[in-house]
Amino acid sequence: RVSGHAPCSVRSSGTTWVPSPSADVRNRHSDCGGWVAETAVCGMRAAKLAMMMQAQVQPTPDGAIVFDADAIAQARFDPDWFEPEHWRARAAAQATTGGRGSAMFVATPIGNCVLRHYRRGGMAARILGDRYFWTGAERTRSFAEFRLLAALRDKGLPVPQPIAARHRRLGAQYRADILTRRIDGAATLGELFMQNQLDAVVTSRVGAEIARF
């Protein structure tokens, strides 16, 4: 169990699709024999994940950062890595296409990564922009996605490696960022469609990967 938030009861964050907490808990409630078994399973998974990844939480003046200490081979994470200007000043940033325009490719000392700032979509974006309501550190979109990606990688599933995530609290609201390892050569289904490469072979492989989740 991580800071009062069960790591196996997760919700969607950013563009990652995950089961709802209530549905996930109901399913395993019947499989594991109740809430006691559910809590035990979550605790074992959290402990296993902690061994697989040396995730550390680093307090900041206005929030916190969680990062994979093994990935960066440092005891502390440089908060400047979350700032686009830090990479632009070093000619190490490349804009991405699609989405909400909040992600960029960055060439870091540990390799190519993707830096993404969380932004709202739809009607909420007009009012809140990039701000979300605070309900606890582990429930922030960035921390939740970091933990989820780490858990999925622990299961051997093909997802980006989470490097670091940050939240910056603003009273009852917060802003968030996440840094993940870039999957070189990857393309979206939309890009494959536009390039006339979305054939039966590709769709079959996509379906097989989805089935693994």
Side-chain angles (χ1 to χ4, degrees):
R1 195 175 177 86
V2 183
S3 300
H5 181 66
C8 54
S9 297
V10 294
R11 56 184 177 84
S12 61
S13 60
T15 57
T16 305
W17 289 92
V18 296
S20 68
S22 58
D24 190 45
V25 169
R26 282 197 301 270
N27 290 339
R28 282 177 296 170
H29 179 73
S30 59
D31 294 339
C32 298
W35 289 104
V36 174
E38 171 71 17
T39 302
V41 169
C42 290
M44 288 187 290
R45 289 178 179 173
K48 182 179 179 181
L49 181 59
M51 290 187 291
M52 295 295 292
M53 170 188 282
Q54 294 298 316
Q56 297 185 20
V57 176
Q58 175 180 314
T60 62
D62 55 358
I65 295 171
V66 59
F67 65 98
D68 183 353
D70 287 340
I72 67 170
Q74 296 179 22
R76 291 185 61 80
F77 188 85
D78 186 354
D80 286 343
W81 281 29
F82 288 114
E83 304 299 334
E85 288 303 323
H86 173 82
W87 304 110
R88 293 192 185 106
R90 290 161 176 74
Q94 176 187 347
T96 62
T97 59
R100 298 171 185 170
S102 58
M104 65 168 49
F105 297 134
V106 292
T108 77
I110 63 169
N112 294 327
C113 295
V114 179
L115 174 62
R116 177 159 53 87
H117 182 68
Y118 287 82
R119 295 186 185 278
R120 287 186 174 273
M123 294 293 294
R126 299 181 180 181
I127 302 173
L128 296 171
D130 63 349
R131 291 168 291 145
Y132 298 84
F133 292 110
W134 177 264
T135 57
E138 288 297 330
R139 293 181 179 273
T140 58
R141 298 207 170 196
S142 53
F143 272 40
E145 184 168 352
F146 181 96
R147 304 289 191 195
L148 174 61
L149 289 175
L152 293 177
R153 281 181 60 84
D154 183 40
K155 294 178 179 294
L157 294 170
V159 298
Q161 178 187 2
I163 302 300
R166 172 178 74 168
H167 67 73
R168 303 177 65 186
R169 190 172 177 181
L170 306 166
Q173 300 176 340
Y174 72 92
R175 292 187 172 96
D177 308 272
I178 190 169
L179 184 72
T180 58
R181 184 83 67 179
R182 179 179 180 180
I183 302 177
D184 292 321
T188 66
L189 291 179
E191 290 170 341
L192 293 177
F193 178 78
M194 295 300 294
Q195 298 168 6
N196 294 320
Q197 296 181 7
L198 193 59
D199 54 22
V201 175
V202 173
T203 54
S204 177
R205 290 175 59 188
V206 170
E209 289 298 332
I210 293 176
R212 293 179 61 190
F213 287 80

